[in-house]
Amino acid sequence: MFFELNEEQLAVQAAAREFAQKELKPGVIERDAKGLYPKEEVRKMAELGFMGMMASPEYGGGGMDTLSYVLAMEEISKVDSSCSVIMSVNNSLVCWGLETYGTEEQKAKYLPRLASGEWIGAFCLSEPEAGSDATSQRTTAVDMGDHYLLNGTKNWITNGGTSRLHLVIAQTHPEAGHRGINAFIVETDWNGVAIGAKEDKLGIRASDTHTIMYTDVKVPKENRIGDDGFGFKFAMKTLNGGRIGIAAQALGIAGGAYELALEYSKQREAFGKPISKHQAIAFKLADMATEIEAAKLMVYRSAWLKDQGMDYDTASAMAKLYASEVAMRHTVEAVQIHGGYGYVKEYHVERLMRDAKITQIYEGTSEIQRIVISRAILQGQLYLPIFGGALEQKA
Ligand code: CAA
């Protein structure tokens, strides 16, 4: 078994770490406090190629593997998860979904702008009454011959205020359940697209989360993705990969909190010695390091499976479930290790704790991941990640 990163992966990791520490860290507290969108920071991320890392070079992307993307997500999330979620949605939902399932014309028209970061994309699945229960879409797209007429409301849309392109999931044949759902490419400057106020959130406060309203939006026929009725599968398959990105975000949040807690515990003295030398703190550090390492193996492995062209649906659900629970648990511990200092903004860990919570909610709550995993177990489809077992690709 080989666990070493290659030279390109190490270079991506180092570049992302340097960028996060030098460019993102100085303003992160203010952006979080004021809910300021990181416009300049996103521009720099685009310049460095972080907005279209996995997209093919022929469409202006970085042509990198999923593991490189995970490493960049992890380093950026150690510092600023508002920036990493903007990056994640653009990379693993929008660019990947479009490149994998779009037509040649759709890819040629839209991907270069998205992969370069000139345009930011959003993934519009959730609705006020259809979150976890994603088949209950109420947004409709009525076939009018040469176009679809789109009506409905989407909420909790990351990149909602800044995106120039939406991938919108809508009901076209309500009687057909999930087989009556389609996905559409919608440009946000078309008539009928309206953007609601920015949400005032607990964490990832600088990212722009909005409600979007579509009223009689004319969507050209050629902007439907895939065959008629493919929209639900499109959303699910795209989310399988998106969950690797969010798992990497959770891993980064946990790692960032651990690094800060370790550093603090070596400097802070109590009862005549650094608090790291007290067993109560040392054991917390041991648990943090162990569980973060376990999460890392799961997250990297799900990326690796995807890069090998193997089934990663269950592996990505497991990685997101575990990494997000680790992020929540250990950001709380990082605050505890900091004591009173952990409770104020200056020390960063309280923000990481608030940011951690969303990783248990978006791109499928922890409960949804358990549904995905348990169904795979009970249907006998679980691709068991047991070392030494045969690597099989699910049909
Ligand atoms: N991968 C591929 N196919 C899948 C799938 C998956 N993970 N999950 C379901 N499907 C397929 C099924 O195989 C089935 O296909 P067939 O009819 O051909 O057999 C079809 O989709 C319908 O599946 P189910 O019968 O299982 O549907 P369900 O309604 O019982 O449950 C669910 C589906 C798994 C619960 C799904 O609704 C789900 O994943 N919900 C969570 C939605 C979610 O993650 N939302 C996140 C919002 S996006 C976001 O957060 C982005 C952001 O801004 C950060």
Side-chain angles (χ1 to χ4, degrees), residues 126 132 134 158 178-179 232-233 236 240 243 363-364 375:
S126 300
S132 290
T158 303
H178 72 266
R179 294 197 176 84
F232 189 73
K233 286 277 176 73
M236 292 298 109
N240 289 334
R243 288 167 184 162
E363 298 204 22
R375 282 184 183 176

Side-chain angles (χ1 to χ4, degrees), residues 96-395:
W96 189 85
L98 202 54
E99 181 157 4
T100 308
Y101 299 110
T103 62
E104 200 41 61
E105 290 72 28
Q106 290 168 348
K107 291 191 263 191
K109 183 169 177 188
Y110 293 116
L111 253 184
R113 288 186 250 196
L114 290 161
S116 65
E118 179 195 341
W119 281 18
I120 303 292
F123 189 79
C124 304
L125 171 67
S126 300
E127 298 186 1
E129 290 177 73
S132 290
D133 183 7
T135 46
S136 299
Q137 298 285 301
R138 294 201 179 168
T139 295
T140 54
V142 178
D143 190 341
M144 306 297 282
D146 65 336
H147 66 272
Y148 286 91
L149 207 56
L150 182 70
N151 279 285
T153 301
K154 297 288 177 180
N155 68 347
W156 317 126
I157 304 304
T158 303
N159 298 341
T162 47
S163 43
R164 277 285 282 109
L165 180 145
H166 291 170
L167 298 183
V168 183
I169 315 298
Q171 192 64 259
T172 44
H173 310 286
E175 69 293 345
H178 72 266
R179 294 197 176 84
I181 290 174
N182 273 295
F184 300 95
I185 302 166
V186 174
E187 296 184 33
T188 57
D189 62 356
W190 289 349
N191 282 342
V193 180
I195 298 162
K198 179 174 171 172
E199 300 290 348
D200 190 4
K201 306 187 296 285
L202 172 75
I204 56 162
R205 288 178 48 74
S207 70
D208 58 325
T209 311
H210 292 254
T211 294
I212 313 284
M213 284 79 68
Y214 304 98
T215 310
D216 290 340
V217 180
K218 277 186 174 180
V219 183
K221 269 279 170 69
E222 64 266 22
N223 275 31
R224 191 185 74 207
I225 298 179
D227 293 337
D228 194 10
F230 179 64
F232 189 73
K233 286 277 176 73
F234 167 80
M236 292 298 109
K237 286 170 182 278
T238 303
L239 279 166
N240 289 334
R243 288 167 184 162
I244 299 176
I246 300 304
Q249 181 183 52
L251 180 62
I253 293 171
Y258 167 74
E259 286 175 14
L260 289 167
L262 175 62
E263 203 45 46
Y264 180 84
S265 70
K266 289 199 278 193
Q267 283 165 12
R268 171 74 177 179
E269 294 201 357
F271 306 103
K273 56 184 178 183
I275 59 170
S276 58
K277 298 240 163 89
H278 291 286
Q279 195 181 65
I281 301 299
F283 278 15
K284 282 189 198 298
L285 293 170
D287 287 345
M288 287 168 106
T290 304
E291 291 194 19
I292 290 168
E293 193 62 18
K296 186 174 286 190
L297 288 172
M298 293 176 80
V299 179
Y300 288 13
R301 189 168 179 285
S302 63
W304 179 83
L305 285 171
K306 182 163 175 279
D307 288 333
Q308 304 309 307
M310 303 175 84
D311 176 35
Y312 56 91
D313 306 358
T314 316
S316 70
M318 285 177 159
K320 180 184 181 287
L321 172 64
Y322 188 67
S324 62
E325 308 272 320
V326 165
M328 197 67 250
R329 194 157 49 242
H330 293 310
T331 50
V332 171
E333 288 293 54
V335 171
Q336 191 68 18
I337 290 171
H338 280 76
Y341 293 99
Y343 206 65
V344 296
K345 294 192 184 299
E346 196 187 334
Y347 284 77
H348 296 281
V349 283
E350 63 82 34
R351 185 186 69 260
L352 292 167
M353 184 180 85
R354 287 184 285 107
D355 287 348
K357 187 61 204 168
I358 193 61
T359 65
Q360 296 178 307
I361 297 173
Y362 58 21
E363 298 204 22
T365 60
S366 292
E367 291 72 21
I368 288 294
Q369 307 313 323
R370 289 186 173 98
I371 289 178
V372 172
I373 298 161
S374 60
R375 282 184 183 176
I377 295 169
L378 297 172
Q379 288 165 5
Q381 283 181 350
L382 178 62
Y383 170 65
L384 266 180
I386 292 173
F387 295 123
L391 296 176
E392 285 172 23
Q393 192 163 358
K394 195 169 78 176

